[in-house]
Amino acid sequence: MNSSYTYRLKQDNNGFIWIGSDNGLFRFDGKEFKQYGKEEGLMNIEVIDCEPLPNGEVFLIPYLNDFAYLKNEKIINLSFSRSLKNQFANSLARTDRNGNKLYLYSTNNPKSILTYENGAFKTQTVTLNYGQKNVNAFKYDFHRNILYMRIILKIMS
């Protein structure tokens, strides 16, 4: 594996190990590594997170949130409106999964929850006025439609 940093390791239902790194996505089959990078169509090769789904897709969260997924050995880059992409500008995208559905939201003052399934997104607005407070989202319970957050307090000395 030709990379300096490994950000995420996940195993899929077939036993493959998927690795997000500073030099693309890697799949390890127990013997060999296969690399997915610029030549395979990845817009941004620094893959911060990867989420293998039961339907065979692997959802990718590269640096700068140039979201993409791998399906049938092909990288498909997802285009977003600027406002959707900007909501992840100052924080990492967090994911929770329910089967083939993937829920994405910003960890820092989330404005919406994106539901990804089979190459398509739906947006659900988070209707909460944070005011001057900073909040940190850390878990989405998709069964009850609850986004868990904590308030970040600044202590002045």
Side-chain angles (χ1 to χ4, degrees):
M1 202 173 103
N2 59 342
S3 70
S4 299
Y5 297 100
T6 298
Y7 299 112
R8 182 70 69 195
L9 292 147
K10 295 271 180 115
Q11 188 170 16
D12 68 13
N13 293 342
N14 297 318
F16 293 119
I17 304 292
W18 295 93
I19 304 160
S21 78
D22 65 334
N23 198 18
L25 176 71
F26 289 86
R27 183 187 73 202
F28 183 63
D29 64 6
K31 293 182 183 180
E32 297 178 335
F33 287 98
K34 176 167 174 73
Q35 183 178 11
Y36 300 89
K38 287 252 187 228
E39 289 182 13
E40 291 72 27
L42 199 56
M43 286 176 46
N44 188 328
I45 64 168
E46 195 155 353
V47 178
I48 304 297
D49 200 352
C50 57
E51 185 67 47
L53 301 172
N55 65 3
E57 294 178 4
V58 181
F59 191 84
L60 308 175
I61 302 176
Y63 182 68
L64 300 178
N65 299 310
D66 292 321
F67 300 115
Y69 64 97
L70 176 72
K71 184 174 185 173
N72 299 325
E73 298 292 311
K74 184 176 178 184
I75 297 282
I76 293 104
N77 293 293
L78 297 167
S79 60
F80 283 102
S81 70
R82 175 172 252 147
S83 63
L84 282 178
K85 190 172 177 182
N86 284 345
Q87 76 172 289
F88 297 101
N90 295 321
S91 71
L92 294 175
R94 175 133 175 123
T95 60
D96 288 300
R97 186 171 63 84
N98 180 20
N100 287 320
K101 280 188 181 178
L102 191 63
Y103 302 93
L104 293 96
Y105 49 93
S106 172
T107 55
N108 185 25
N109 296 335
K111 294 177 181 37
S112 62
I113 297 168
L114 304 177
T115 304
Y116 169 83
E117 186 174 25
N118 298 319
F121 273 99
K122 292 180 185 172
T123 304
Q124 178 182 351
T125 303
V126 173
T127 55
L128 180 64
N129 183 355
Y130 306 122
Q132 297 296 321
K133 300 176 185 97
N134 284 323
V135 297
N136 181 267
F138 60 91
K139 177 76 176 150
Y140 178 62
D141 181 345
F142 43 81
H143 296 293
R144 297 187 295 174
N145 197 30
I146 296 173
L147 181 62
Y148 292 95
M149 298 184 274
R150 59 184 152 242
I151 295 174
I152 309 298
L153 298 174
K154 294 181 183 177
I155 300 173
M156 305 286 205
S157 55

